[in-house]
Amino acid sequence: MPALQAQLKLMTLQQYEALPEDTRTEVFDGIPYCMASPSDTHQTISTELTTILNYYIRSKKGSCRVYHAPFDVKLSDSPLTIVQPDLMIICDRSKLDGKRCNGAPDFIIEIVSPGNASDDYIRKAYYYKYYGVREYWIVDPRRKIITVNYFEKDIVNVQYSFDSIVKVSIYEDLFIDFSEIAGLLIN
């Protein structure tokens, strides 16, 4: 006789939406994971990158939009998969419903926190590629490395140091000088 196993109850969209507003939670295949608050280094990098990306898009009068956490991205309804990338660019505005992005953003940046490196390098890389994110960057302040994944070109794990200038591949002429950002960080 087979052993009895407890059935795991998967989170639904209704349960997710009923969470308190200040709860930072992501859901992978129906399983919720709590997120820690970001550090000052994380916030500095996020703010600088948001400013650079937003300025570029506005100066080009582009139709894409920059969003930063907390902002939900629903990758799947069944089982429920909702993430809150640190930064993202969304070009297809039909994916926006006033609450969240429904489907993959074009570009995502995750900034590694000490307690969740495997989430960014393994779990999120898998989901972002599987659901159609075109380009995914992992910014690791502790290691001072940017790992770039050009999923639409099947080029993954290209690494740059914090003194590099890195091209945003979804645009023809956008480059980010990480040495300028690194100079702002508290060591």
Side-chain angles (χ1 to χ4, degrees), residues 7-25:
Q7 280 290 77
L8 184 63
K9 186 129 170 108
L10 302 181
M11 180 174 265
T12 66
L13 181 59
Q14 292 76 21
Q15 291 167 326
Y16 178 82
E17 289 178 337
L19 292 172
E21 195 169 306
D22 62 345
T23 302
R24 293 190 40 132
T25 302

Side-chain angles (χ1 to χ4, degrees), residues 6-123:
Q7 280 290 77
L8 184 63
K9 186 129 170 108
L10 302 181
M11 180 174 265
T12 66
L13 181 59
Q14 292 76 21
Q15 291 167 326
Y16 178 82
E17 289 178 337
L19 292 172
E21 195 169 306
D22 62 345
T23 302
R24 293 190 40 132
T25 302
E26 292 182 310
V27 182
F28 294 93
D29 291 328
I31 301 170
Y33 296 85
C34 293
M35 300 165 52
S37 295
S39 67
D40 61 341
T41 296
H42 186 286
Q43 290 291 73
T44 299
I45 293 169
S46 178
T47 299
E48 292 302 312
L49 289 171
T50 301
T51 301
I52 292 165
L53 295 170
N54 198 47
Y55 176 78
Y56 172 84
I57 291 169
R58 289 183 68 181
S59 71
K60 298 289 185 174
K61 299 187 182 351
S63 61
C64 301
R65 290 288 182 256
V66 179
Y67 293 87
H68 58 84
F71 186 74
D72 289 345
V73 174
K74 184 173 64 164
L75 296 173
S76 173
D77 283 310
S78 182
L80 184 65
T81 299
I82 294 180
V83 294
Q84 292 184 355
D86 291 317
L87 286 110
M88 68 202 94
I89 295 175
I90 300 168
C91 297
D92 181 355
R93 296 221 196 145
S94 70
K95 292 180 179 181
L96 300 169
D97 68 5
K99 290 190 212 177
R100 68 182 62 89
C101 175
N102 296 288
D106 295 86
F107 177 78
I108 289 178
I109 297 176
E110 292 285 5
I111 302 162
V112 176
S113 296
N116 75 344
S118 65
D119 278 357
D120 296 328
Y121 283 103
I122 300 168
R123 184 195 331 245

Side-chain angles (χ1 to χ4, degrees), residues 158-169:
V158 178
Q159 293 192 336
Y160 299 89
S161 67
F162 267 34
D163 61 358
S164 300
I165 297 173
V166 184
K167 184 180 186 313
V168 177
S169 195

Side-chain angles (χ1 to χ4, degrees), residues 135 137 150 165-169 171-176:
E135 186 169 350
W137 291 16
Y150 304 107
I165 297 173
V166 184
K167 184 180 186 313
V168 177
S169 195
Y171 291 108
E172 293 295 318
D173 59 348
L174 176 55
F175 297 85
I176 297 177

